């Protein structure tokens, strides 16, 4: 290979210039613009749905016979125990509301599937008309998914909804 003097520095100069130009563009595009709200949190739709399901399951245990609710859950019941979302306590069962206490080595999507199974096979009886847990959760999601901008706002909204409120912040 023959190296010609003067060509390598020119090529490097062009490559470096192009690289700097591209870096400058991507840096300016990633900066927060005037319409960007740096205080907003990313709220996962899966997280919101999980919150509604967990609080609804907890209320199902409170309102009815927790043993019957657990028995109705179906094929995915064991995942709720393995992940420590549902725990046996005395003569009944409790729901662990603190997600940090769950064993998430069991994939969260599998936990979500088990919570969905619990909603599908049990009813919400405490807010007027009796509906499946699935219908109850779906009604909240249809109304509020994507409308709030903080986890604590959703937590308050979901708690109000499960307690037969409107769920409005």
């Amino acid at each position: 290979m023959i190296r010609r003097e003067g060509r390598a520095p020119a090529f490097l100069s062009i490559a470096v210039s192009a690289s700097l130009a591209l870096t400058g563009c991507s840096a300016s595009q990633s900066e927060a613009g005037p319409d960007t709200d740096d205080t907003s949190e990313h709220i996962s739709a899966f997280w919101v749905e999980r919150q509604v399901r967990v609080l609804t399951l907890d209320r199902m245990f409170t309102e009815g016979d927790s043993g019957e609710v657990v028995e109705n859950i179906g094929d995915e019941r064991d995942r709720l125990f393995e992940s420590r979302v549902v725990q046996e306590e005395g003569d009944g069962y409790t729901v662990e509301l603190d997600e940090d206490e769950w064993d998430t080595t069991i994939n969260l999507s599998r936990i979500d599937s088990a919570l969905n199974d619990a909603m599908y096979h049990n009813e919400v009886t405490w807010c007027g008309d009796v509906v499946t847990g699935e219908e109850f959760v779906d009604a909240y999601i249809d109304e509020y998914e994507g409308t709030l901008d903080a986890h604590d706002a959703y937590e308050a909204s979901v708690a109000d909804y499960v307690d037969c409120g409107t769920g409005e912040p």
Side-chain angles (χ1 to χ4, degrees):
M1 182 155 139
I2 300 173
R3 183 171 174 215
R4 296 186 180 159
E5 295 297 323
R7 288 211 175 209
F11 175 77
L12 286 175
S13 177
I14 292 170
V16 169
S17 295
S19 176
L20 289 174
L22 290 174
T23 303
C25 288
S26 64
S28 66
Q29 289 173 350
S30 66
E31 291 176 12
D35 296 329
T36 304
D37 180 8
D38 289 337
T39 61
S40 68
E41 302 175 47
H42 170 72
I43 311 294
S44 163
F46 295 111
W47 180 86
V48 173
E49 194 166 34
R50 187 176 310 119
Q51 295 306 302
V52 183
R53 288 176 177 161
V54 166
L55 287 180
T56 301
L57 183 60
D58 184 57
R59 185 70 183 260
M60 286 174 175
F61 284 6
T62 302
E63 293 293 326
D65 177 357
S66 63
E68 184 178 323
V69 173
V70 166
E71 187 63 33
N72 289 341
I73 291 175
D75 296 338
E76 305 210 29
R77 168 185 33 239
D78 290 343
R79 284 193 191 135
L80 294 176
F81 286 101
E82 292 166 2
S83 62
R84 294 192 301 260
V85 173
V86 173
Q87 300 171 19
E88 193 167 1
E89 184 175 277
D91 291 339
Y93 300 94
T94 61
V95 175
E96 176 57 62
L97 299 176
D98 183 355
E99 204 170 314
D100 292 336
E101 297 297 318
W102 298 355
D103 178 0
T104 54
T105 58
I106 297 169
N107 188 305
L108 276 176
S109 66
R110 298 187 84 180
I111 293 171
D112 289 341
S113 177
L115 287 167
N116 184 55
D117 207 27
M119 296 299 102
Y120 183 78
H121 294 289
N122 286 288
E123 296 177 329
V124 171
T125 59
W126 61 90
C127 287
D129 293 337
V130 174
V131 296
T132 67
E134 181 180 26
E135 291 170 309
F136 187 75
V137 170
D138 287 348
Y140 179 86
I141 297 302
D142 290 347
E143 184 72 24
Y144 292 105
E145 182 182 10
T147 63
L148 304 175
D149 60 359
H151 287 94
D152 58 346
Y154 270 110
E155 288 170 351
S157 173
V158 169
D160 178 65
Y161 178 76
V162 172
D163 286 340
C164 304
T166 63
E168 292 181 26

